[in-house]
Amino acid sequence: MSKLKPKFLIPAIGAGVAVVAGVGAYLYFKSGPSGGISDAAASAKLVPDDAMMATYIATDPTVWSKLEKFGTPEAQKIIAAGVESFNKSFSNDDNISYDRDLKPWVGGVMVAVLPPPAVQPAQNKSQSSADPNILMVVGIKDKVEALNFTNKLKQQKNVKIEEIEYKGQTIQKTQGKGSPTYSTILNDRVLFSPSQNAVNQAIDTSKGEPSFLSKTGASQIIGNNLQLENTLFQVYVPDYASMVKKLVATNPQVQQIPPQTLEQLKQIKSVVAGIGVDDNGLRVKANTNLDAQKVKFQYEKTSGKVLSQLPQNTIALVSGGGISKWWTAFTEQAQDTTELNVLLQQVRAQLKLVNIDLDKDVFGWMDGEFGIAAIPVKQGLLKQIGFGGAFLFQTGDRKTAEATFSKLDDLAKAQSLKVAQKNIGGTQITEWQIPNQGALLAHGWLDDKTALLALGGPIAEKLTAQGFKPISGSSSFQGITGTLPQENGGYFYLDMEKALPIITRFSPPPTEATAILNSIRGIGVTATSPNKSLTQMEMLLALKKNSDK
């Protein structure tokens, strides 16, 4: 990507808003300039229609101030230090302050990614000419303050400004300490880019050439607020397959996409995603519009019964349904991709050597809901790791499932493992035991239709013990997933407070990262599909409230 650093962009009008993360952090603490997400459509009218994607950053202070109530004091200090460093990057040498010189007039920001110039075969493959062009559209909320900033910029000793005319529109070429930037003002907005061609295209767009907003499907996704509270960012991709194709075609270092893969990508028509802040933390939503004629797998809603079969102290889980249907769709698509099909045939052949049919014995009977969970353990073979695994599969074909487990038991015996039966609270469990060390794996049935495969002996005992308390009733799970759509295709769930001690034990993160992680309660993700043409994803990054607020 083109290098967009504060020092590089300051000489161009409105440069301070280029660094998205820095601006976001600054607004978080400084209550920056207004510029709501509703302004995105007006900015998109100035972006050329060949833009592959665009991001809009809201700069409304009332939105960003909502974040102030989250985070531990340690995390607040780290973010504050980053903000200070960001602000200093403007003031050093250039005598430019974001708070004084940019904040009074800068509105919302759109960042668009345009295709890079075509790379000729004779050109060096490693050169940056294959990088996408970046065009930024920055709203002007106060013309007088913007003019004052421009005049101040012209007085800087280390800045050289040259005016270029293009179709009656003045473009400023601004040369600072790095590469030049090009900027112009259109419709109360500043447009700038490291590429003059990108600015030229924007001027053409303002004079009637097709815009990003006029692309098929663009107006619908840009007008979609995703029902987020206090939207901070939104990302728009109106033609997903075309974007991937262009990025690959213009990058000689990337292997070209096979026609079969490109055809599969055409299942996805467009994508819109956004981040907002509400009383629970940061919420991400994404809508993916699909071509119903090309979609191989039909989404199915799950009942969530497996959540009543996993314990309250679960660290993390993934749940869903219809593994057998997913597998069938995958194998059908694999037939169109030579490399994938060869690999699939190799796996099938290897399992055949031990009398296991990959399609029938492994995936064929997994036709109901499933749940995969990491659960704490303090004894047995996995006590040093600190957690074991539980795999729950609901099935309508218990006979095939039991036959598969029997084949696996035979393989375990061949590896000198002891296969023993154990009754836990009336539930018959089969364990694979390592002599003098304990159970490595266990399997059995929680009910007539739910198979259990447990990694680590204590896991099976926990799930079949008397007085079992399910995760579905825990305050942690409810706090992290309770505001997500309840009618869904399954969950991803992570309890950060339980996971962090394990992460720290095996790979201690830096002090700063630990402080940020300590501010997170957990992560919850789910997906829904109202119809075959639309998939909706929602994620909550649940944050701890700041006790100082």
Side-chain angles (χ1 to χ4, degrees), residues 379-383 417 432-440 457-458:
Q379 61 187 44
L381 287 172
L382 301 180
K383 66 179 180 180
L417 293 174
W432 295 1
Q433 299 174 352
I434 299 177
N436 302 318
Q437 295 187 52
L440 172 65

Side-chain angles (χ1 to χ4, degrees), residues 96-171:
I96 300 296
S97 164
Y98 182 92
D99 194 46
R100 181 182 63 250
D101 300 304
L102 295 170
K103 175 181 174 181
W105 65 270
V106 171
V109 181
M110 176 164 279
V111 183
V113 181
L114 279 65
V119 177
Q120 301 301 319
Q123 290 180 298
N124 188 334
K125 290 184 179 182
S126 64
Q127 66 186 21
S128 61
S129 59
D131 291 343
N133 285 326
I134 301 299
L135 174 69
M136 302 190 65
V137 183
V138 182
I140 300 175
K141 70 169 185 175
D142 190 321
K143 295 180 182 179
V144 174
E145 291 290 350
L147 180 61
N148 291 338
F149 172 73
T150 303
N151 292 333
K152 181 175 182 178
L153 187 63
K154 290 179 179 179
Q155 297 170 7
Q156 301 299 305
K157 295 180 180 179
N158 58 347
V159 174
K160 179 182 178 182
I161 297 178
E162 174 187 348
E163 292 190 347
I164 303 170
E165 292 296 319
Y166 178 77
K167 295 186 178 180
Q169 183 73 24
T170 300
I171 299 173

Side-chain angles (χ1 to χ4, degrees), residues 302-318:
T302 59
S303 68
K305 181 181 177 181
V306 293
L307 299 178
S308 66
Q309 298 172 306
L310 293 169
Q312 286 193 354
N313 64 344
T314 294
I315 301 168
L317 70 83
V318 176

Side-chain angles (χ1 to χ4, degrees), residues 177-255:
K177 293 181 180 179
S179 301
T181 57
Y182 301 85
S183 60
T184 192
I185 298 177
L186 290 169
N187 301 347
D188 294 333
R189 284 168 171 76
V190 177
L191 287 79
F192 73 93
S193 172
S195 164
Q196 182 182 345
N197 183 60
V199 177
N200 289 350
Q201 285 184 269
I203 293 173
D204 291 340
T205 301
S206 72
K207 294 181 178 295
E209 291 296 319
S211 70
F212 186 73
L213 187 66
S214 68
K215 292 184 74 164
T216 301
S219 61
Q220 288 85 349
I221 63 174
I222 292 177
N224 189 332
N225 65 9
L226 297 171
Q227 296 182 329
L228 279 167
E229 295 182 34
N230 306 306
T231 302
L232 306 176
F233 309 103
Q234 279 198 353
V235 179
Y236 315 102
V237 182
D239 189 341
Y240 180 82
S242 175
M243 178 190 71
V244 175
K245 185 177 180 179
K246 286 180 181 178
L247 287 173
V248 172
T250 54
N251 191 335
Q253 294 177 300
V254 176
Q255 184 178 359

Side-chain angles (χ1 to χ4, degrees), residues 4 38 44 54 61 82 104 109 162 180-181 183 275-276 334 344 377 412 414 425 481 514 531:
L4 297 176
S38 59
V109 181
E162 174 187 348
T181 57
S183 60
I275 303 176
L344 181 59
V377 294
T481 67
T514 299
N531 54 67

Side-chain angles (χ1 to χ4, degrees), residues 235-450:
V235 179
Y236 315 102
V237 182
D239 189 341
Y240 180 82
S242 175
M243 178 190 71
V244 175
K245 185 177 180 179
K246 286 180 181 178
L247 287 173
V248 172
T250 54
N251 191 335
Q253 294 177 300
V254 176
Q255 184 178 359
Q256 297 302 300
I257 298 178
Q260 301 91 335
T261 303
L262 185 60
E263 189 64 27
Q264 292 173 12
L265 289 175
K266 289 181 180 179
Q267 293 183 41
I268 303 175
K269 296 172 68 175
S270 63
V271 179
V272 55
I275 303 176
V277 57
D278 55 37
D279 290 339
N280 297 289
L282 286 170
R283 192 174 301 271
V284 179
K285 290 187 179 183
N287 285 358
T288 302
N289 295 298
L290 307 171
D291 186 335
Q293 301 302 316
K294 292 183 170 65
V295 175
K296 298 288 186 181
F297 178 79
Q298 179 62 52
Y299 161 91
E300 291 183 2
K301 183 176 65 176
T302 59
S303 68
K305 181 181 177 181
V306 293
L307 299 178
S308 66
Q309 298 172 306
L310 293 169
Q312 286 193 354
N313 64 344
T314 294
I315 301 168
L317 70 83
V318 176
S319 68
I323 290 179
S324 60
K325 292 183 179 179
W326 280 104
W327 178 252
T328 299
F330 169 75
T331 56
E332 288 179 1
Q333 291 188 340
Q335 294 175 8
D336 297 327
T337 306
T338 303
E339 296 83 356
L340 190 58
N341 193 41
V342 169
L343 177 60
L344 181 59
Q345 296 305 326
Q346 289 175 344
V347 175
R348 282 171 171 159
Q350 289 296 315
L351 288 177
K352 277 290 185 183
L353 295 176
V354 290
N355 194 32
I356 293 178
D357 184 317
L358 178 64
D359 302 287
K360 177 184 176 182
D361 297 334
V362 178
F363 294 109
W365 55 271
M366 298 180 182
D367 53 3
E369 289 188 45
F370 72 89
I372 302 173
I375 300 169
V377 294
K378 296 181 180 179
Q379 61 187 44
L381 287 172
L382 301 180
K383 66 179 180 180
Q384 296 300 324
I385 298 177
F387 68 95
F391 302 80
L392 275 59
F393 304 100
Q394 293 182 357
T395 179
D397 186 2
R398 178 165 176 164
K399 182 179 179 180
T400 300
E402 289 181 334
T404 299
F405 285 137
S406 180
K407 292 178 181 181
L408 294 175
D409 289 341
D410 291 340
L411 288 175
K413 292 175 184 177
Q415 299 299 318
S416 300
L417 293 174
K418 181 181 179 181
V419 178
Q421 300 296 315
K422 187 175 184 179
N423 189 289
I424 306 174
T427 301
Q428 196 71 15
I429 296 294
T430 301
E431 290 187 339
W432 295 1
Q433 299 174 352
I434 299 177
N436 302 318
Q437 295 187 52
L440 172 65
L441 183 145
H443 63 81
W445 292 86
L446 297 181
D447 56 40
D448 289 341
K449 294 186 177 182
T450 307

